[in-house]
Amino acid sequence: MLLRSPEKSTIGKHVLRWGNVNVIQVSPGKYFYNLQSQSSVLHGTIDLNRKRYRILPLLLSSFILAFFLSVLLDKQTYEESLMEKEFLSMSTEVEENDVKDKEAKLADAKYLQETEDKKMAILRSADLDALAENKNKKLKVTQYKVKKNETLSDIARRFKLSAESIAGSSGINPEVTILPGQILNIPNKQGLVYKLKKGDTLAKVADYYKVKIDDIYSENQLEDYDLFKSGQKVFLPGAVIPETGPVWRIPVVSKVITSGWGTRSYPQYKFHMALDLRANYESVYAARKGKVTYSGWMGGYGNAIILTHDDNYQTLYAHNSKLFVKEGDYVSAGKIISRSGCTGYCFGPHLHFEIIKDGKNVNPTKIIKGFSYK
């Protein structure tokens, strides 16, 4: 054992006694070691004051530093590998340079136009699908007991809800760590179970969470506008939970624009309604919290992801080599959703990034600050 209070011996102080191993400090920087086996005894001295040993503390420090750096650097790779394993069984992604990908790289104008049409159809259908799903499903709220090692994100993903929806319905802060045995309220569709407080009016609550009053009455099957009282719980269908902290973030670490918003001549002469960002087979992050409304192959865009956000915003992430989320998932801003690459009509690894507002592309640099051209 390592001795907290070194014991004295005839030649110095014991600093380590572990089985048949003994280390004694003879003087500052000088140590005597003794290792006994059944047939022999190995012993000697180490003088750290001598030049050939002075490098040992430096080597030890370097080893410890390298170990911790490897843990930090591997953390992201480990997270990606877990998501990749989970997604393999349901993925519709295409490998770079397989038959489908090669076809996209040789795409003509017709192929690329069909890709644009598909993208626009997905963007238009996202909100309609969400509304239909909410209206056709009868509300049911289930009480769920948190299991060991579960996180709010894990539970939200399992029930296809946002973490904010579960947290708000359970009266907790989404940033607080949940504990085993804790009871959560899980609605069977996106929205919020809200407990009316003193001074609340339904109009005030509806405006804050951006929900139509008629939808609240219809969802809660009430006709009398005077029945809502303090302490009563109501369900707010499709409630928009206010976002805390920075709403937007740049989706790649480099922050570097390699091809900006505007007219360009390569690979086609056309107006580029997006940003190409430097990202050489590395993590891609959600630019804002939202719902995954598409994840899969999208012709000229290669392996692509579309997220739908609050305030009628959507984002597109294209040319990925790996996809780590599936349709129906809710993601927080900054969550890893894919790995960049060069699938589809692409001639070098990067991230093609679009922001769409009310169905029309907008310049991402007008929404998100911090991009550079270096």
Side-chain angles (χ1 to χ4, degrees), residues 139-142 164-172 185-197 209 220 232-237 239 241:
L139 175 64
K140 181 180 179 182
V141 180
T142 304
E164 291 81 4
S165 179
I166 296 176
S169 298
S170 305
I172 62 173
N185 294 321
I186 313 286
N188 63 338
K189 51 185 173 180
Q190 181 66 13
L192 175 65
V193 177
Y194 181 81
K195 186 176 181 179
L196 290 169
K197 303 179 182 68
Y209 288 103
N220 292 275
Q232 185 175 350
K233 290 182 178 179
V234 294
F235 184 71
L236 309 178
I241 291 89

Side-chain angles (χ1 to χ4, degrees), residues 158-310:
R158 182 183 310 156
F159 287 96
K160 295 187 179 298
L161 296 169
S162 68
E164 291 81 4
S165 179
I166 296 176
S169 298
S170 305
I172 62 173
N173 188 318
E175 304 299 326
V176 173
T177 302
I178 57 175
L179 302 172
Q182 188 172 347
I183 303 299
L184 301 177
N185 294 321
I186 313 286
N188 63 338
K189 51 185 173 180
Q190 181 66 13
L192 175 65
V193 177
Y194 181 81
K195 186 176 181 179
L196 290 169
K197 303 179 182 68
K198 187 176 180 180
D200 275 344
T201 65
L202 201 57
K204 180 180 176 182
V205 172
D207 181 65
Y208 183 76
Y209 288 103
K210 300 181 181 179
V211 182
K212 293 179 181 178
I213 291 182
D214 289 344
D215 290 341
I216 298 175
Y217 280 100
S218 174
E219 187 66 53
N220 292 275
Q221 298 181 342
L222 291 173
E223 298 178 359
D224 193 333
Y225 280 56
D226 298 322
L227 283 180
F228 290 101
K229 298 178 182 179
S230 177
Q232 185 175 350
K233 290 182 178 179
V234 294
F235 184 71
L236 309 178
V240 176
I241 291 89
E243 298 171 74
T244 58
V247 174
W248 292 94
R249 63 152 290 163
I250 296 176
V252 295
V253 172
S254 75
K255 304 180 181 179
V256 175
I257 299 171
T258 56
S259 182
W261 174 276
T263 303
R264 65 180 187 178
S265 58
Y266 181 84
Q268 282 186 311
Y269 186 83
K270 64 179 295 186
F271 196 93
H272 187 226
M273 294 189 291
L275 299 181
D276 286 349
L277 302 174
R278 181 182 297 164
N280 188 19
Y281 298 97
E282 57 195 71
S283 294
V284 174
Y285 305 88
R288 184 176 178 176
K289 78 175 180 73
K291 182 180 181 180
V292 181
T293 47
Y294 187 83
S295 179
W297 177 255
M298 198 189 288
Y301 288 109
N303 295 320
I305 291 171
I306 292 177
L307 301 183
T308 297
H309 313 281
D310 297 336

Side-chain angles (χ1 to χ4, degrees), residues 62-72:
S62 300
F63 172 78
I64 294 172
L65 179 61
F67 173 77
F68 281 108
L69 283 175
S70 66
V71 170
L72 290 173

Side-chain angles (χ1 to χ4, degrees), residues 4 53 56 111 144 196 249 306 349:
R4 293 183 180 177
Y53 289 118
L56 289 177
Y111 183 99
Y144 180 82
L196 290 169
R249 63 152 290 163
I306 292 177

